[in-house]
Structure formats: structure tokens, C-alpha cells
């Protein structure tokens, strides 16, 4: 199925060879709206599912950004939507087959670290997988990676340093922290957030880890950026809502766009 999907896409994009992959998270999808390029809806690609979350588009965009050829996912597949975990990471394997070497993953996340504010960006230094599933379970495809892949540097250190430097240059707050992934779709309880804080997490979300894990397994350089859209449960008395998540992401989108653009230029 991976080869079928790759061949389908290759026919559409002809000699366009993407080197950078970008996944746009909740509320951050506009980044690709004004780019000139080729668009392919997930629904027409063999092996792809269709994304159902509000604030997510559901298409691949092939475009040049700052002179770099990129494949951009406007919307992703979440485990909580009910897809098998292999479907969540399927696009990453296709990206690998298309020649992608660097993957930039973005998401919306809640802050576990009490020093963070809504609207901050956080570069992911490492993750804790609490989704209850590993996307590599099942038969191993040795053309992609090892059976027991090393995960000691999922997030590329050089890219981590680069994004922090660019943040400084652009006057954008870029924190560095550990992202904990929960399955969702319910938000966490205050007790769960306390647990995550004790474990060493700075932010929490419902995505990114499956994709980052598989990209690292495939030998890609990975950078993860969380947009801190809200304080996690129990930090403030207010209730959590998806509307708040999308609203904060909307507010941050211009600085996020600037950071992403300069990142792509420098990568
Ligand atoms: N928890 C989990 N996922 C999230 C959150 C949160 O507080 N905010 C945005 N995505």
C-alpha cells in the first residue's frame, strides 16, 4: 500500500522531489493556504484516511518554500479519531519513499509547565509516549528501518538549537521542553496533569509522537514545535475547550508562520 500511494502521488507531482515534510497542527493549517503548488486531497490517495477534526483541512500541498521543495500535510490523522495507529503514521512512510529527509511537526498543546503561557511556542526536546500504543508494532519493513530502533535522539539537536536561535532573532518566545502524548480525545484530569509534571513533561497533546517516532525510525531529521494553546487541566480554574485551542493557535499564527518560514530557509 505504501508503494501504491507513493506511485499515485509521484504521477501527480511528476519531477517535484520534496526534501522537507511539514505537518500542520490544529489551527495552524493556514500556513499552506497561499502557497502556489499542487494539492492532493487525502480522500483520493490510496491508503490515506480522511481527517475529521475541525481546524484541519485534509490535503497534501506540494510547494516550494524559500527555495526548498516541501510536502505539507494540512491536517493529520489522530489516533483518537479511531484510526488504526498504522494509518496515523502512514503518510510519514510515504514521505520517506518520496525522498523526504527532514520532518517538521507542529501541534497544539496544553502547558504542564507552570512557567509557560498560552501563545508560547515550544520546541520539543524529547517525548513521553503515553498513548498506550506504539506505531511500530507489527511486522517490520526492513526497507524503512530496524526492528528495534534507537530513540535516544528523536528530535534532532541541531534543528532544536537552530529553532531557538531563529526565535531569538525574530523576537518570538521559543521554549524547549518535553512533550507527553496522551490518546485523547478527552482532555486530561488535574491528577493526570500532576502525574505528567512529576514525570518531567512540559506540554501535553494528542498527536506528534507517533509521527516523530516513525520518522526517526525511518532515519529522518525531526523537529517538533508545539503551540501552547492553553494551560493544562487544573493549572487554572477554567474549563478546557477545543474552541480555546483553535482561538489561541489563530492568534499565534503570524509569528508561527514567520518562524516556520525562516526555519525552512535555514534547514
Ligand atoms: N491536552 C491535550 N491536548 C491538547 C491540549 C491539552 O490541554 N491542548 C491542546 N491539545
Amino acid at each position: 500500500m505504501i508503494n501504491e500511494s507513493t506511485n499515485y502521488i509521484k504521477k501527480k507531482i511528476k519531477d517535484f522531489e520534496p526534501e522537507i515534510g511539514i505537518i500542520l497542527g490544529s489551527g495552524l493549517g493556514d500556513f499552506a493556504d497561499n502557497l502556489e503548488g499542487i494539492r492532493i486531497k487525502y480522500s483520493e490517495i490510496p491508503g490515506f484516511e480522511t481527517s475529521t477534526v475541525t481546524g484541519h483541512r485534509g490535503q497534501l500541498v506540494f510547494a516550494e518554500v524559500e527555495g526548498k521543495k516541501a510536502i505539507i500535510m494540512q491536517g493529520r490523522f489522530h489516533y483518537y479519531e479511531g484510526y488504526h495507529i498504522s494509518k496515523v503514521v502512514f503518510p510519514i512512510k510515504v514521505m520517506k519513499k518520496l525522498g523526504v529527509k527532514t520532518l517538521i511537526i507542529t501541534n497544539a498543546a496544553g502547558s504542564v509547565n507552570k512557567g509557560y503561557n498560552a501563545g508560547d511556542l515550544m520546541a520539543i526536546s524529547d517525548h513521553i509516549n503515553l498513548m498506550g500504543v506504539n506505531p511500530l508494532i507489527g511486522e517490520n519493513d526492513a526497507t524503512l528501518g530496524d526492528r528495534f530502533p534507537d530513540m535516544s535522539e528523536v528530535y534532532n539537536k541541531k534543528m532544536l538549537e537552530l529553532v531557538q536561535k531563529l526565535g531569538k532573532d525574530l523576537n518570538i518566545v521559543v521554549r524547549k521542553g518535553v512533550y507527553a502524548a496522551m490518546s485523547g480525545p478527552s482532555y486530561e484530569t488535574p491528577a493526570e496533569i500532576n502525574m505528567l509534571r512529576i514525570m518531567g513533561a512540559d506540554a501535553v497533546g494528542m498527536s506528534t509522537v507517533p509521527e516523530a517516532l516513525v520518522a526517526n525510525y525511518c532515519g529522518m531529521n525531526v523537529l517538533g514545535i508545539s503551540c501552547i494553546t492553553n494551560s493544562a487541566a487544573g493549572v487554572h480554574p477554567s474549563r478546557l475547550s477545543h474552541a480555546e485551542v483553535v482561538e489561541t493557535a489563530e492568534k499565534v499564527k503570524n509569528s508561527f508562520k514567520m518562524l516556520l518560514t525562516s526555519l525552512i530557509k535555514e534547514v
Side-chain angles (χ1 to χ4, degrees):
M1 204 38 140
I2 296 168
N3 288 335
E4 196 182 316
S5 180
T6 307
N7 290 337
Y8 180 88
I9 292 167
K10 272 188 177 164
K11 261 190 214 132
K12 296 249 165 182
I13 62 174
K14 303 199 174 82
D15 56 357
F16 187 96
E17 289 176 6
E19 45 187 327
I20 302 183
I22 302 164
I23 305 176
L24 298 174
S26 282
L28 304 170
D30 307 20
F31 177 80
D33 278 352
N34 299 322
L35 296 175
E36 226 173 87
I38 301 162
R39 288 171 164 73
I40 312 177
K41 291 237 176 312
Y42 294 159
S43 53
E44 66 172 277
I45 308 172
F48 272 60
E49 300 286 344
T50 34
S51 186
T52 59
V53 189
T54 27
H56 282 265
R57 306 280 195 294
Q59 62 182 1
L60 290 179
V61 180
F62 294 84
E64 252 186 58
V65 185
E66 298 289 328
K68 305 270 167 65
K69 291 193 170 71
I71 168 174
I72 304 168
M73 288 182 72
Q74 264 187 320
R76 58 151 60 83
F77 307 113
H78 301 88
Y79 187 48
Y80 64 72
E81 290 176 84
Y83 304 125
H84 191 273
I85 194 69
S86 62
K87 290 291 187 184
V88 174
V89 297
F90 184 82
I92 310 303
K93 295 177 180 174
V94 172
M95 282 188 191
K96 175 68 183 178
K97 295 279 182 190
L98 289 169
V100 168
K101 299 196 172 48
T102 301
L103 182 65
I104 301 172
I105 310 178
T106 71
N107 63 47
S111 60
V112 174
N113 185 318
K114 289 182 178 167
Y116 290 5
N117 299 305
D120 290 353
L121 298 178
M122 184 191 90
I124 303 177
S125 58
D126 204 349
H127 72 226
I128 304 174
N129 182 9
L130 295 168
M131 277 192 167
V133 68
N134 188 302
L136 298 176
I137 288 175
E139 196 185 338
N140 186 50
D141 178 349
T143 66
L144 289 172
D146 293 340
R147 172 73 294 188
F148 302 108
D150 175 72
M151 291 286 146
S152 45
E153 192 186 321
V154 177
Y155 304 90
N156 183 267
K157 285 217 167 73
K158 283 204 180 104
M159 297 220 321
L160 204 56
E161 278 167 25
L162 175 64
V163 69
Q164 289 191 286
K165 180 195 165 292
L166 295 174
K168 259 195 203 123
D169 294 349
L170 294 166
N171 227 344
I172 297 169
V173 177
V174 181
R175 317 254 187 194
K176 187 174 91 175
V178 173
Y179 176 93
M182 304 286 271
S183 73
S186 55
Y187 289 114
E188 301 70 34
T189 64
E192 284 165 347
I193 295 302
N194 274 334
M195 171 191 77
L196 295 178
R197 197 174 294 118
I198 292 164
M199 283 179 159
D202 296 290
V204 59
M206 306 173 192
S207 68
T208 301
V209 164
E211 296 109 311
L213 196 157
V214 169
N216 181 55
Y217 153 82
C218 291
M220 293 183 197
N221 291 321
V222 181
L223 174 71
I225 308 172
S226 293
C227 169
I228 303 297
T229 52
N230 58 282
S231 298
V235 177
H236 293 300
S238 56
R239 294 170 70 86
L240 271 57
S241 72
H242 185 60
E244 179 191 7
V245 168
V246 174
E247 195 185 309
T248 311
E250 182 75 23
K251 281 188 198 143
V252 180
K253 77 179 180 200
N254 286 335
S255 46
F256 173 78
K257 251 184 212 169
M258 263 164 41
L259 185 69
L260 197 51
T261 307
S262 62
L263 243 174
I264 294 165
K265 189 172 171 186
E266 299 289 331
V267 150

